[in-house]
Structure formats: C-alpha cells, structure tokens
Amino acid sequence: DTRLNLGWKSSQVNSDNQIVFSQLRNDSSINVPQLTDHFVYTERVDAGYLEFEGKFKNTNITASLRGERTHFTAESINPSRHADSNYFSLFPNVQLSQQIDKNNLLTLSYSRTIGRPNYQDLNPFVSYVDDFFSSTGNPFLRPDFINTYRISDFIADKYRVSFSTIITNNYYQTIFDQNNATAQYITTKANLGTRYQYMIEFNLPLDLTA
C-alpha cells in the first residue's frame, strides 16, 4: 500500500512601514528627521514538495522532501541599511515505524524546518524606551534551521517514551550591547551559532474512576 503526492506553492510579501515622529514647538508640529523611519521589505518564497507513504508488512514509511527558494530585500531609509539575499534550502522529513511485537511500536524520525525572523526583527530603526535604553532590528539576520531527531516507543497501545535531539543552525536570539562610557545599552537580535537541545518525554496516561 503506497501513495505519492507532489505539489507547488508560491508566496509573496510586500511590507511598507513608515514611522514619523514630530515635536510640538510654538503650537506647530515639526518633524524630527533623526527619529523618522521608512522601511520596505519584500519577500518571495517558491516551494515544491514530494511526499511518499508506504506500508510493508509491519513497517510504515512516510518521507517527504520540500525545496524552497527564497529571495528578499530589506531597505531602510533611516538609518540607511540595505540587505538582499537569495538562497535555496531543502527540508526532508522522514518517519519510520516498526511493530516490534504486540506491545512495542518503535518509531524513528528526522525533520528539518526553518524559523524565519519577523519583519520587526529585520527593521534597523532605533526605538528609544528612555535615555539609556533602546532597541533596533537587524536587516542581516538570517533564518535558523532546526534539525530534529527522535526515537520513541509506544508500549501496550498506551504508554510512550521518546528521546529527541534538536540541533538549530544559525540560532538567533536577543543580545544586549552596552556603551560603558554613556551607560546606554541597546538590544537587537543576532545569529549566535549552533544550539543543541536534548529531551526525554514520558506520556503515561492515568485512568481516574469514581
């Protein structure tokens, strides 16, 4: 028993954001150029996928492969920043389940996914909270790629035990940078490197009776 699916999807994002600050002077509103920003972001993602499902005796296989081509441009007027990126990525997803015996169903899986930053994280405009604290986006921030490896055992059709390893490449997070001379600090997001996570999960349902 096998099944094969394939498909294609495209998406387009056009974001145009403008922030205008003004000051009231002599009953007149005057723009403050250094606090005014115009940020334009465009993104196009073209993706194709192929999916296979099959069952062979006591073994179930699900495998898919998605390819994504992404092109984006980020343009900020103040501060002046320009970023342009074009990349192609593959995202496999494989799951193999084997009925070991009547009480144990063993499952092995691997998946690769992408975590894209939101538009505010890319906008380099400086937002002031007070005289000593501000935040800004990073137009050169790259998406992270999450690789998940998992093995699990489903016991007696009731209990599940799983062990997972999650490896995130280009992992990004908020960082803090302080100017010791002025005591001012600014936050932004940056790619920090590779992140490793290890998890053990137990699913032990309990039946409660009156």
Side-chain angles (χ1 to χ4, degrees):
D1 184 16
T2 61
R3 186 173 67 177
L4 185 65
N5 299 314
L6 56 88
W8 180 270
K9 180 180 179 181
S10 295
S11 66
Q12 176 78 31
V13 173
N14 297 288
S15 178
D16 192 324
N17 296 279
Q18 189 166 8
I19 302 175
V20 178
F21 280 84
S22 61
Q23 254 182 354
L24 189 62
R25 293 183 182 177
N26 299 324
D27 297 327
S28 298
S29 181
I30 301 176
N31 286 346
V32 183
Q34 64 270 26
L35 296 180
T36 297
D37 175 45
H38 188 190
F39 180 67
V40 179
Y41 179 82
T42 62
E43 177 185 84
R44 180 177 176 87
V45 179
D46 297 302
Y49 73 89
L50 181 67
E51 183 180 64
F52 170 82
E53 293 182 20
K55 184 175 182 179
F56 308 93
K57 294 185 179 180
N58 294 329
T59 303
N60 289 302
I61 300 175
T62 300
S64 64
L65 180 64
R66 188 176 82 256
E68 285 189 3
R69 177 190 174 275
T70 301
H71 177 244
F72 79 84
T73 59
E75 186 79 36
S76 176
I77 307 302
N78 178 40
S80 179
R81 296 286 190 276
H82 176 80
D84 193 316
S85 183
N86 188 15
Y87 58 90
F88 177 79
S89 301
L90 291 174
F91 301 95
N93 190 329
V94 180
Q95 180 173 288
L96 175 65
S97 297
Q98 175 72 43
Q99 190 75 48
I100 305 300
D101 53 43
K102 66 178 182 178
N103 289 321
N104 291 275
L105 176 63
L106 187 66
T107 301
L108 303 174
S109 66
Y110 165 73
S111 67
R112 185 174 191 257
T113 58
I114 186 172
R116 302 180 190 275
N118 62 50
Y119 308 138
Q120 187 61 38
D121 292 336
L122 298 170
N123 189 346
F125 174 70
V126 180
S127 176
Y128 294 91
V129 178
D130 55 39
D131 291 341
F132 299 98
F133 174 46
S134 59
S135 64
T136 183
N138 177 6
F140 304 104
L141 188 66
R142 293 170 293 167
D144 57 21
F145 297 90
I146 304 102
N147 299 274
T148 303
Y149 304 83
R150 179 174 289 112
I151 180 171
S152 66
D153 189 13
F154 191 43
I155 304 169
D157 292 329
K158 188 174 184 181
Y159 308 106
R160 187 183 299 276
V161 180
S162 302
F163 176 75
S164 304
T165 298
I166 303 173
I167 303 173
T168 304
N169 303 117
N170 290 345
Y171 174 70
Y172 63 84
Q173 188 56 268
T174 301
I175 61 172
F176 298 81
D177 185 25
Q178 179 173 319
N179 186 325
N180 294 328
T182 63
Q184 295 175 326
Y185 71 95
I186 189 168
T187 66
T188 189
K189 280 188 168 60
N191 296 102
L192 303 180
T194 303
R195 182 191 191 193
Y196 297 87
Q197 297 172 277
Y198 305 95
M199 296 190 303
I200 297 179
E201 300 172 84
F202 300 93
N203 189 345
L204 308 173
L206 298 175
D207 294 327
L208 300 178
T209 58

